[in-house]
Amino acid sequence: MLLFDLVNARKAHFSPNTWRVRMALAHKGIDFTVQDVRFVDIAGIRPQGDSIGHKLTIPTIQNDGMWVTDSWEIVHYLDDAFADTPRLINTGADESVLRFFQYWAQTTLHSGIFRNIVLDLYLGLDPADQPYFRDSREKILHDTLENAQAGRQDRMDAFRKSLQPMRLALANGPFICGNQPGYADYLAFGAFQWARVASPLQLLAHDDVVSTWLNRCLDLYDGMGRRESAAVDDLLDDSMR
Ligand SMILES: N[C@@H](CCC(=O)N[C@@H](CS)C(=O)NCC(=O)O)C(=O)O
């Protein structure tokens, strides 16, 4: 199992969509190797015979000659190809509700976080990635990265309020999926891990149950998430040198 994942200049893995898949692989107990790529390398990743037929995005996996791109497709593939491991996406209504949760994560979480860390993301990238990232993201934002990120402290209250559905869910159990973590937890975790790895911004108040949940997720699978160093730890290390 080979997982293609993005790295920044300090070789930290920051992609929110890949973190979903990393957690899914760990949940299933599937060992994997990681091939680090930068944004500028993605176009050069080509399956033999071009079996995917469209542009790859990260995450992409290669297993047993099979290439799969897109986190949702990858988790479906893992559920089918490793049928004796715990299933993450059940078919029927459960799948539709999970898909709805993914839409919520992409809109409320990813969009809410993106603007607040976009300049930090850029500054952390390998210099070879910076022109592409600036150009493509400024087109999406219709603004410079600097303007987009400015004033983020003023947006913090609104972002924290938007997490209320998570707080309500976490009143029922330690994880969004109940007593045990499941794919909804990994969808949300990916977003917070993205911010943690790429930016020193403190997104969550320490006394927020979402922060307690995030720490619980960081501890899962022998602290797999926590082993990826946070941007703030990196900055502290720098200032101590
Ligand atoms: N829906 C896709 C989204 C994947 C995606 O957009 N990945 C980003 C990195 S997190 C990417 O590959 N971007 C390539 C680019 O911006 O050129 C998934 O969940 O896998």
Side-chain angles (χ1 to χ4, degrees):
M1 177 68 62
L2 182 64
L3 172 69
F4 293 87
D5 197 1
L6 283 166
V7 280
N8 63 13
R10 62 182 183 91
K11 301 278 181 240
H13 301 99
F14 60 89
S15 158
N17 303 309
T18 309
W19 273 102
R20 303 169 174 179
V21 169
R22 282 176 177 263
M23 298 301 271
L25 286 162
H27 183 106
K28 289 173 170 292
I30 303 169
D31 285 336
F32 59 98
T33 329
V34 178
Q35 180 156 332
D36 290 344
V37 294
R38 300 165 302 177
F39 282 103
V40 290
D41 302 320
I42 297 176
I45 311 170
R46 277 274 146 251
Q48 264 186 344
D50 207 358
S51 56
I52 291 185
H54 55 87
K55 191 187 171 230
L56 295 180
T57 49
I58 301 300
T60 289
I61 58 157
Q62 186 201 353
N63 183 55
D64 249 353
M66 181 78 187
W67 289 70
V68 191
T69 196
D70 183 82
S71 54
W72 184 262
E73 294 300 322
I74 292 171
V75 176
H76 266 295
Y77 166 79
L78 297 177
D79 275 342
D80 293 343
F82 298 84
D84 54 347
T85 63
R87 214 178 161 83
L88 281 167
I89 305 178
N90 288 307
T91 48
D94 281 359
E95 175 173 5
S96 303
V97 174
L98 205 45
R99 189 93 207 208
F100 178 85
F101 188 81
Q102 177 166 295
Y103 295 140
W104 183 79
Q106 273 164 219
T107 51
T108 303
L109 296 182
H110 284 218
S111 303
I113 292 172
F114 180 55
R115 214 184 165 79
N116 291 338
I117 65 166
V118 69
L119 182 62
D120 295 339
L121 268 164
Y122 167 81
L123 293 172
L125 287 177
D126 185 294
D129 269 349
Q130 286 180 329
Y132 166 75
F133 186 87
R134 179 181 282 285
D135 190 51
S136 56
R137 273 45 181 183
E138 289 188 346
K139 280 198 181 96
I140 295 170
L141 291 159
H142 303 292
D143 209 342
T144 62
L145 304 183
E146 287 76 4
N147 283 345
Q149 189 174 287
R152 61 184 176 183
Q153 289 303 341
D154 302 335
R155 294 192 292 268
M156 205 53 75
D157 263 3
F159 174 71
R160 290 179 179 177
K161 279 201 182 103
S162 76
L163 305 177
Q164 193 60 10
M166 287 188 68
R167 292 187 195 98
L168 294 171
L170 291 168
N172 301 324
F175 293 102
I176 297 169
C177 291
N179 283 329
Q180 301 297 328
Y183 198 52
D185 291 281
Y186 307 149
L187 286 167
F189 173 75
F192 290 102
Q193 178 75 328
W194 179 38
R196 175 181 169 272
V197 173
S199 170
L201 179 69
Q202 197 195 321
L203 267 183
L204 299 169
H206 291 302
D207 59 356
D208 191 337
V209 289
V210 179
S211 175
T212 314
W213 161 87
L214 178 58
N215 276 307
R216 211 171 275 137
C217 291
L218 287 166
D219 287 337
L220 288 171
Y221 313 119
D222 299 323
M224 186 176 83
R226 203 180 288 286
R227 280 201 301 277
E228 197 72 52
S229 74
V232 72
D233 296 339
D234 202 54
L235 293 174
L236 285 177
D237 288 343
D238 279 344
S239 66
M240 289 188 307
R241 270 187 213 121

